[in-house]
Amino acid sequence: MLFTLGVNHKSAPVGIRERVVFSPDRMEEALSGLTQSTPVEEAAILSTCNRTEIYFRSEDHQPADRVLHWMSDFHRLKPSEIQPYIYRHQDADAVRHLLRVACGLDSLVLGEPQILGQLKGAYQTAGSAGTVGRQLGRLFQHAFSVAKNVRTSTAIGSSPVSVAFAAVSLARQIWGDMKPLTALMIGAGETIELAARHLKTHQIGRIIVANRTVERARPLAEEFDAEIITLPEIPSRLPEADILISSTASPLPILGKGAAERALKARKHRPMFMVDIAVPRDIEPEVGRLDDVYLYTVDDLEEVIQDNLQSRREAAQQAEEIIESQVSSFMGWLRAQDAVSTIRAYRGKAHSIQLEVLDKALQMVAAGKSAEEALGFLAHTLTNKLLHEPCHNMNQAAREGKLELIDAAHALFNLPEAGDGGRSSDS
């Protein structure tokens, strides 16, 4: 049986989520401990800022309580401290949950793509720890395939739904190829960091970070290989900026119309794309009236985001339909695994009978019997031996009223219904 146990941004506040995070450097240790100290045969752990989830397989009927106690012990917590925030899923519900997570349908930002990469990382780590086997491995591969299908067949990820993502997406629409471009980022907060990450993803040529203090901007500059300048340097460096994104807490505008006009003149009126995310605004509204300046405010982006959120919600409905059909597909494969050992045993038994009868037929030929006589013995004896036990058991089942076994035999052996045995009709 397959299970999921975890907490996420919907079930638990950040104060709880941060207490159950599995750090990357202890992940393999955790996986080994989980499989050694609980009735868990296979396991993988996904741990991000928004969720910590344990995916596992167990033949125990109630393994979730044991896993919850192990999780509490690992983080030195009492089970009662996290029990109210925990959700549990089993079999089809566990499969459905993982597929929804992989497709971004369970994320804080609907349809966000980062979670799929995090899931792949969790799967690889579990593989390295040796805790992923046939069933869980097949489930994760199925989830990755479904997520790819949802991405390509719906619009779930095609529309930006964060301010930073929307800003960079608009820049791409205007400029196309970003490799030859320079971006000037004013500020060093979370939105600027996220926008810089999106720019790097799209291979921006160069990033300049302008901030009131150099030290505050240093971590950002180091992460994105950016140059740091101070706010007073902006006018002299502005002509280099093809893209400008500003998000500061300044009570007064940082960039005025005069500085923008001089920059455009120095650029020989090559266009500039500007996004003012700040409230109050960092860029004077008059800048947007200049030719060759494309200025967007946070209100402009919010309108784009709301339209795109509606688009994603519609796409999410399509994704849910795909997921439901794929849950059924995977559960069918899972049920088929229960028959594998029976099929293998039945084939093995038939093969043993075959060898036994073939050996006797060869002995007959060696003793001087004709090939026809030996083949007749082989066909007759092999048929009788293969049919004896099934026929005896069906007869016994009928005597005991176990008619469901008779129906199963009809289906298994593809037998004609009663009365379809080729009898001639009266005419």
Side-chain angles (χ1 to χ4, degrees):
M1 293 178 285
L2 294 169
F3 299 86
T4 301
L5 180 147
V7 299
N8 65 12
H9 60 281
K10 291 183 285 189
S11 75
V14 66
I16 294 296
R17 299 201 306 272
E18 65 188 7
R19 297 178 72 186
V20 295
V21 168
F22 290 88
S23 60
D25 59 330
R26 296 193 66 194
M27 189 64 80
E28 290 197 20
E29 171 197 343
L31 288 164
S32 298
L34 173 61
T35 52
Q36 289 169 12
S37 58
T38 68
V40 166
E41 282 86 27
E42 301 180 53
I45 299 174
L46 173 67
S47 193
T48 73
C49 58
N50 284 328
R51 71 180 66 243
T52 290
E53 295 179 336
I54 303 174
Y55 307 96
F56 59 97
R57 181 180 72 83
S58 176
E59 297 311 311
D60 192 270
H61 289 293
Q62 290 184 320
D65 288 338
R66 296 277 298 276
V67 172
L68 175 60
H69 279 81
W70 168 85
M71 182 179 178
S72 303
D73 289 344
F74 187 90
H75 293 293
R76 299 182 180 179
L77 299 168
K78 295 177 181 177
S80 60
E81 292 182 80
I82 56 175
Q83 173 71 50
Y85 308 100
I86 292 286
Y87 47 81
R88 311 176 189 203
H89 302 296
Q90 181 176 338
D91 292 332
D93 289 336
V95 172
R96 182 179 296 106
H97 180 77
L98 178 58
L99 298 191
R100 295 188 78 251
V101 170
C103 295
L105 299 185
D106 196 55
S107 295
L108 182 61
V109 177
L110 180 65
E112 59 92 5
Q114 287 82 8
I115 189 64
L116 182 58
Q118 292 165 332
L119 262 180
K120 289 181 177 179
Y123 171 68
Q124 289 167 356
T125 300
S128 299
T131 60
V132 171
R134 178 175 173 79
Q135 290 189 16
L136 203 59
R138 178 67 175 255
L139 175 58
F140 269 81
Q141 291 297 331
H142 190 66
F144 301 153
S145 175
V146 172
K148 182 179 179 181
N149 181 15
V150 166
R151 291 272 159 197
T152 55
S153 60
T154 75
I156 191 71
S158 62
S159 305
V161 290
S162 72
V163 170
F165 192 6
V168 174
S169 296
L170 283 170
R172 288 185 67 217
Q173 289 177 28
I174 290 171
W175 288 105
D177 183 13
M178 290 198 167
K179 291 178 184 176
L181 304 181
T182 294
L184 173 60
M185 319 294 284
I186 305 178
E190 184 179 340
T191 302
I192 288 294
E193 179 183 350
L194 189 55
R197 184 165 285 112
H198 288 311
L199 286 169
K200 269 293 184 184
T201 299
H202 295 296
Q203 300 180 309
I204 189 75
R206 189 164 63 108
I207 295 177
I208 301 170
V209 178
N211 198 54
R212 198 171 304 280
T213 62
V214 171
E215 284 307 310
R216 176 73 174 83
R218 197 174 302 283
L220 189 67
E222 289 175 353
E223 181 176 356
F224 300 108
D225 193 25
E227 180 185 355
I228 306 174
I229 64 173
T230 60
L231 296 186
E233 295 178 82
I234 290 176
S236 64
R237 303 296 300 274
L238 191 58
E240 300 173 43
D242 303 296
I243 297 169
L244 184 149
I245 300 176
S246 188
S247 178
T248 76
S250 173
L252 298 172
I254 290 172
L255 181 62
K257 182 181 177 184
E261 284 177 324
R262 290 190 292 275
L264 284 170
K265 186 176 179 181
R267 288 172 59 84
K268 297 180 180 177
H269 291 275
R270 279 185 297 115
M272 300 178 75
F273 173 80
M274 299 183 184
V275 180
D276 187 356
I277 301 172
V279 179
R281 286 179 282 190
D282 283 339
I283 303 174
E284 289 181 350
E286 291 78 13
V287 172
R289 301 193 189 109
L290 296 174
D291 291 338
D292 305 312
V293 171
Y294 299 89
L295 174 61
Y296 290 83
T297 66
V298 69
D299 289 344
D300 298 324
L301 296 181
E302 195 60 38
E303 188 176 328
V304 171
I305 289 167
Q306 288 307 315
D307 289 344
N308 290 342
L309 270 174
Q310 182 57 36
S311 173
R312 285 200 178 193
R313 290 188 192 105
E314 293 168 1
Q317 290 298 320
Q318 297 175 306
E320 296 282 11
E321 293 173 9
I322 294 172
I323 286 171
E324 280 308 308
S325 69
Q326 291 302 323
V327 169
S328 299
S329 173
F330 184 82
M331 293 306 295
W333 176 85
L334 201 58
R335 286 189 293 270
Q337 303 315 295
D338 295 335
V340 169
S341 59
T342 301
I343 293 170
R344 188 177 292 121
Y346 184 63
R347 281 184 172 276
K349 185 173 182 178
H351 186 62
S352 296
I353 293 172
Q354 173 197 6
L355 293 177
E356 176 191 341
V357 177
L358 177 60
D359 184 57
K360 289 181 179 179
L362 292 173
Q363 289 177 24
M364 289 175 64
V365 173
K369 300 290 185 180
S370 69
E372 281 187 7
E373 191 175 354
L375 284 172
F377 168 83
L378 177 67
H380 177 75
T381 307
L382 185 59
T383 302
N384 279 347
K385 281 184 173 287
L386 289 174
L387 293 179
H388 173 71
E389 284 189 353
C391 289
H392 171 77
N393 290 335
M394 281 189 282
N395 191 21
Q396 188 67 27
R399 290 173 182 275
E400 295 174 1
K402 297 177 181 177
L403 300 183
E404 69 277 5
L405 289 179
I406 306 301
D407 292 338
H410 267 276
L412 283 171
F413 300 118
N414 194 25
L415 301 176
E417 294 298 323
D420 292 346
R423 285 182 265 169
S424 60
S425 58
D426 296 332
S427 57

